[in-house]
Amino acid sequence: MSIRSNLLLKHKWMTSLLFWLTVGVLFSLYRALLNPDEAQPVIWYKHSSYLITLHLVWGALTIPYLKALQKVYYEKGLVRAILLTAAVGLVHSLATVLLYFIVAYVIPFATTFDVKKYVAGVEINIVSSFFISWLTAVVIFIVWFGWSGLQEKERQAKLNAELQAQLVQTQLQMLRMQLNPHFIFNTFNTISMLVRANKNEEATDMLAKLAELLRVSLYKKETQLIPLQAELEYCRHYLDIEMVRFKDRLKVTFEVDPDSEKKLVPSMILQPLIENAFKHGLMNSLDAAPLLKIESKEEGEELCISIKNTGKLKPLNENGSSIGVHNVRERLKLHYGDKAHFTLEQQNGLVVASIKIAYEQV
């Protein structure tokens, strides 16, 4: 949104009044200079006060009308919005008739104005002015509708750009974690130990798993949302290597509802949480047969994913200061707003990272 648009929205009441005041002045000049033939003789410099006042009524009605229109249209639908437009047109037509009576009486601009005749024909005056008032309200509705569409497209484009930037940042962060010296050293050290122990088949298998993990990381498409099944498959590649390294000292279980695997989740949303579980929990509990459990299921209209690991929740993680945890929170917020929730808590001796999102199906 441009600076000019921001200023107009910030001073919306002043903008509305000035706009309609300008329209009123121009309309008065048009009636006085270009359309002098009136059915009822008037004094133009006095008649202008009525026309300008009439347009200022629109200046006062426009902002409340737009606020109500936005709420009614998105919550009740198009039919209710049309009814609201008709109601606003009726309100303005009533104001038109009343203002004409007051201004013509206080500032006698019509040389043949008769109060009794005007009051007697008030119904006709209301009906005749309603069409113009309603038509003006419809024009305001159309302008608002077009403006809202442009704003929504701009907001969506900005959101998509932010999501893309977040995805790229996450992928770079993932590559740094996978290619950091400790990870590479530990993996190749394990392969070396397997070779020395003449466990060539296991060493070859682990090397293939490392190659597959790096291949998926490097060539994975930059898609914002992917099926949970694909996300879990990537996590399994990572865990396969860890399972070879830690052998029987680490227990990893998956409890995945088959239907939940079809739901879409943000790409690379789980691996940072698994990395976090190893770094802050499992690596410190290897002597106690640590557990890592990944679950997914549907609860009503939500997809629920949880990663549970042996360990103790530290204040640093609890406050969300971890880079991985912070990244997960930000990406969920960008994708779903308040329709997604992330929690990190201690439950029965386990650290539980939970994600709940309004799911989308492939």
Side-chain angles (χ1 to χ4, degrees), residues 24-42:
V25 171
L26 293 175
F27 188 70
S28 298
L29 292 174
Y30 166 77
R31 294 286 292 273
L33 300 176
L34 302 178
N35 192 28
D37 296 325
E38 294 288 333
Q40 178 173 280
V42 296

Side-chain angles (χ1 to χ4, degrees), residues 275-282 284 311-312 314 316-317 322:
E275 179 78 16
N276 196 67
F278 273 95
K279 183 177 180 181
H280 299 287
L282 299 173
N284 301 322
K312 185 176 180 181
K314 299 180 180 179
L316 179 65
N317 296 58
S322 164

Side-chain angles (χ1 to χ4, degrees), residues 4 61 67 153 171 194 328 360:
R4 183 178 300 176
L61 284 175
K67 288 183 178 179
K153 286 183 179 179
Q171 290 175 322
L194 291 173
V328 168
E360 298 181 43

Side-chain angles (χ1 to χ4, degrees), residues 287-321:
D287 295 334
L291 169 69
L292 176 65
K293 188 175 184 180
I294 301 174
E295 301 176 343
S296 72
K297 59 182 178 179
E298 298 178 46
E299 289 184 359
E301 297 298 321
E302 291 183 321
L303 171 65
C304 302
I305 307 171
S306 63
I307 297 176
K308 304 177 181 180
N309 66 273
T310 304
K312 185 176 180 181
L313 186 62
K314 299 180 180 179
L316 179 65
N317 296 58
E318 189 176 16
N319 294 333
S321 299

Side-chain angles (χ1 to χ4, degrees), residues 64-105:
Y65 171 45
L66 291 178
K67 288 183 178 179
L69 187 61
Q70 184 173 9
K71 183 177 181 180
V72 170
Y73 179 79
Y74 288 113
E75 294 182 4
K76 304 296 183 180
L78 180 60
V79 176
R80 295 291 183 88
I82 293 175
L83 293 175
L84 174 64
T85 301
V88 171
L90 179 60
V91 169
H92 187 265
S93 64
L94 293 173
T96 299
V97 174
L98 181 61
L99 275 174
Y100 190 94
F101 175 82
I102 294 174
V103 178
Y105 188 82

Side-chain angles (χ1 to χ4, degrees), residues 159 163 327-338 340:
L159 178 61
L163 289 173
N327 180 273
V328 168
R329 282 199 173 104
E330 287 299 312
R331 293 192 63 205
L332 288 174
K333 181 180 179 181
L334 285 172
H335 273 290
Y336 304 101
D338 58 359

